[in-house]
Amino acid sequence: NAGVTQTPKFQVLKTGQSMTLQCAQDMNHNSMYWYRQDPGMGLRLIYYSASEGTTDKGEVPNGYNVSRLNKREFSLRLESAAPSQTSVYFCASSDGLAGTRYFGPGTRLTVL
Amino acid sequence: KQEVTQIPAALSVPEGENLVLNCSFTDSAIYNLQWFRQDPGKGLTSLLLIQSSQREQTSGRLNASLDKSSGRSTLYIAASQPGDSATYLCAAFTGGGNKLTFGTGTQLKVEL
């Protein structure tokens, strides 16, 4: 039982490049989330998926897109990376929107 | 808008001491409250989730309480150990349960 896994662990991009962050959970959870964590800003919700087939914007969705590929997988795409997107990205899952949230180990992204 | 505050921002205690971490929230209409720990460079580890109908939740040396009327939650750590050194975050569920507002965290150091 791996919980929530994320790939890659680290990534360096140049401005304008695109990439997809992958997330998978093996707890059979319905809901999945993408957060970013920045010093002094705390954790902020980018997008979430309440259940398979649905996605909704969070607090800071601009510049990102998501895909709920199936119940297990939820990906985050940066179409044209900007330095302001340098951050640590966390994926999380829960059994229902108000259930215990379980977080992945994070992806450390630097955009030059 | 829900605001979650954690005081103190940093705390240093000797090994073996019992300690209390504080979490305050401005909107008492919360669903649940969850406590996490975060080690440097790592993801968030779920410690306890207190449902709105509960007043306490215990796991090992940890005890979390919730007082919605006063807008407070506390995390009690008994017999602290150096391995407890980490940043502790509380997060309040509001907005139908799908909105999770994180506190600013308390950085705990347990010294030998």
Side-chain angles (χ1 to χ4, degrees):
Chain A
N1 192 339
V4 180
T5 57
Q6 294 181 236
T7 56
K9 287 186 168 55
F10 301 93
Q11 185 70 49
V12 179
L13 294 177
K14 294 181 180 178
T15 297
Q17 287 185 317
S18 62
M19 78 162 296
T20 300
L21 281 64
Q22 305 286 354
C23 174
Q25 52 91 9
D26 62 2
M27 295 175 281
N28 201 35
H29 285 163
N30 289 315
S31 305
M32 298 185 72
Y33 315 82
W34 277 105
Y35 290 88
R36 59 179 288 174
Q37 186 177 36
D38 303 288
M41 302 292 290
L43 280 139
R44 293 179 293 172
L45 182 65
I46 305 171
Y47 270 95
Y48 69 100
S49 171
S51 60
E52 188 178 355
T54 70
T55 59
D56 284 288
K57 295 178 181 179
E59 300 172 68
V60 289
N62 291 343
Y64 305 96
N65 285 300
V66 291
S67 295
R68 183 74 183 266
L69 304 170
N70 48 56
K71 191 172 185 179
R72 288 188 64 246
E73 299 172 288
F74 189 37
S75 64
L76 178 71
R77 183 160 177 84
L78 286 70
E79 290 291 352
S80 179
S84 61
Q85 294 179 305
T86 293
S87 186
V88 182
Y89 291 85
F90 290 105
C91 178
S93 72
S94 65
D95 189 15
L97 292 173
T100 301
R101 299 258 166 113
Y102 295 92
F103 281 74
T107 294
R108 280 145 188 82
L109 175 67
T110 300
V111 183
L112 302 174
Chain B
K1 179 187 172 185
Q2 177 74 277
E3 292 182 4
V4 181
T5 306
Q6 293 184 248
I7 295 173
L11 180 64
S12 183
V13 301
E15 182 181 12
E17 189 162 301
N18 302 326
L19 60 101
V20 175
L21 305 180
N22 296 298
C23 171
S24 299
F25 45 92
T26 55
D27 183 355
S28 62
I30 66 169
Y31 278 73
N32 301 325
L33 189 134
Q34 188 167 356
W35 282 92
F36 300 87
R37 69 173 280 169
Q38 186 174 27
D39 295 281
K42 304 290 185 184
L44 279 70
T45 300
S46 176
L47 297 174
L48 291 163
L49 179 131
I50 311 177
Q51 296 180 349
S52 59
S53 57
Q54 297 175 315
R55 291 190 64 86
E56 280 191 12
Q57 190 70 257
T58 298
S59 176
R61 294 183 295 108
L62 305 179
N63 177 278
S65 68
L66 176 64
D67 184 344
K68 290 176 59 177
S69 61
S70 68
R72 291 188 61 202
S73 176
T74 60
L75 180 67
Y76 174 83
I77 302 176
S80 59
Q81 304 169 357
D84 294 329
S85 297
T87 296
Y88 289 80
L89 295 159
C90 66
F93 289 76
T94 53
N98 65 328
K99 183 168 173 56
L100 190 60
T101 303
F102 285 86
T104 46
T106 294
Q107 189 174 9
L108 173 66
K109 184 176 182 181
V110 181
E111 298 175 315
L112 290 169

